Amino acid sequence: MTGPLIQIRALEKTFVRRSVLQSLDVDIASDDRIALIGSNGAGKTTLIRCLLGHYRHKGDIILDGEKVSTHNRAMLQSIAFVPQLPPPLKMPVADLIKFACQSGKADKDKIWSIADQLGLELAILMSIPFNRLSGGQKQKLLISIALARPAKLLIFDEPSANLDPAARAAFLDLLAKHKDRAMLIASHRLEEIASLVNRVIEMDQGRIVLDDRISDRLKEGDRRLCTLSVAEHSEALAKTLAEWDFEASADQLSYKGQVAGGDMIRFLSTLSRYGGLLSDIQFENLTDGSVTKQTS
């Protein structure tokens, strides 16, 4: 793994006395492809907005050696972002593409090529204001612009939410060709992006409750021993873990079981439904005995 592209230290964000991010500490390396998961309100979008310099906050975010701030936009050319909700831009599509090429250094030919792969017919849309496009058309255009930029970090907030099945498949294929860049993908469809990511970060109530690195070399036959603790007993979680052949402690506040490498993403996706209950998770590589992750 290379050195950190982004360093986040003691990051806090509060809205009207409500704490949304609580003292986050995390690094993102230039070869990290991260699935950012968690329930609505967990803090995922707020974290992304802080990374983009949209919000004032406590703590530090260092991007490529420079501190992110609301007044330091030039350095943010290193980031390409596709939001969950497209902005209400009234400019015609042609002007938006021109602006993206001039200010964001997007490659015009790449925009057209990627749009075509996503099934977006730009030629018939050039004079139409962006805000009059359909939700799917907006998403496809923003994805095309983002992937056509020479950004070091790609950030997507629920990127496939408005895409039809064919466009969703094309989008995932396009991301697979950009594994040379760091990615942060906030998505409820963890299994959908499983083949793209090598790290999963789960947030709950403004905290990181799970941060697991998944080796690109993880084989189907590899196994990890998982030990987890919960804040309180949950029949639903107990039943779910029993289906994974986990054994419960006498008080049913801790569980232990093995997870195959090929099932790791599916297991983490299952755990994400119970993020608010988890207090500690530990994975141990049964091949060499190393502890690969622990959170509390």
Side-chain angles (χ1 to χ4, degrees), residues 183-199:
M183 297 182 195
L184 183 64
I185 309 173
S187 176
H188 286 97
R189 305 168 187 245
L190 181 54
E191 293 185 28
E192 180 179 80
I193 60 175
S195 62
L196 299 173
V197 302
N198 56 14
R199 185 176 175 190

Side-chain angles (χ1 to χ4, degrees), residues 71-142:
H71 304 292
N72 192 357
R73 299 301 177 88
M75 59 170 290
L76 295 178
Q77 290 193 350
S78 298
I79 299 177
F81 173 54
V82 177
Q84 180 178 6
L85 299 175
L89 301 175
K90 295 182 179 180
M91 68 174 66
V93 169
D95 290 349
L96 177 57
I97 291 175
K98 182 179 180 180
F99 176 79
C101 293
Q102 291 178 343
S103 65
K105 299 182 180 179
D107 184 308
K108 183 178 179 180
D109 291 337
K110 286 185 179 180
I111 292 176
W112 280 76
S113 174
I114 294 169
D116 182 64
Q117 293 176 66
L118 292 172
L120 182 65
E121 298 183 57
L122 280 180
I124 63 175
L125 301 176
M126 298 299 281
S127 62
I128 299 177
F130 178 79
N131 65 341
R132 293 183 58 188
L133 301 180
S134 70
Q137 289 172 329
K138 292 175 183 176
Q139 200 78 345
K140 291 174 184 178
L141 179 55
L142 293 178

Side-chain angles (χ1 to χ4, degrees), residues 194 214-224 244 258-267 286-287:
I214 302 167
S215 171
D216 290 326
R217 300 181 298 276
L218 197 61
K219 299 179 181 178
E220 188 73 27
D222 293 341
R223 303 190 70 83
R224 293 185 185 183
W244 285 84
Q258 294 185 20
V259 183
D263 290 332
M264 183 58 66
I265 290 288
R266 188 163 62 90
F267 178 69
L286 295 179
T287 303

Side-chain angles (χ1 to χ4, degrees), residues 137-172:
Q137 289 172 329
K138 292 175 183 176
Q139 200 78 345
K140 291 174 184 178
L141 179 55
L142 293 178
I143 289 172
S144 300
I145 290 172
L147 293 181
R149 291 184 54 208
K152 296 180 180 180
L153 174 65
L154 301 173
I155 299 180
F156 300 97
D157 193 357
E158 299 293 345
S160 63
N162 294 313
L163 299 182
D164 56 84
R168 186 177 298 126
F171 169 62
L172 295 175

Side-chain angles (χ1 to χ4, degrees), residues 263-290:
D263 290 332
M264 183 58 66
I265 290 288
R266 188 163 62 90
F267 178 69
L268 293 174
S269 179
T270 300
L271 279 188
S272 68
R273 305 170 198 165
Y274 306 98
L277 294 171
L278 303 177
S279 59
D280 185 86
I281 306 172
Q282 180 173 299
F283 290 101
E284 180 180 344
N285 190 322
L286 295 179
T287 303
D288 59 16
S290 61

Side-chain angles (χ1 to χ4, degrees), residues 39-88:
S39 59
N40 291 333
K44 304 187 301 297
T45 298
T46 301
L47 172 59
I48 288 172
R49 294 292 182 180
C50 289
L51 283 170
L52 294 168
H54 293 177
Y55 292 152
R56 297 180 185 276
H57 55 77
K58 293 182 179 180
D60 294 322
I61 300 177
I62 309 299
L63 169 61
D64 222 10
E66 295 188 59
K67 184 177 292 188
V68 172
S69 73
T70 55
H71 304 292
N72 192 357
R73 299 301 177 88
M75 59 170 290
L76 295 178
Q77 290 193 350
S78 298
I79 299 177
F81 173 54
V82 177
Q84 180 178 6
L85 299 175

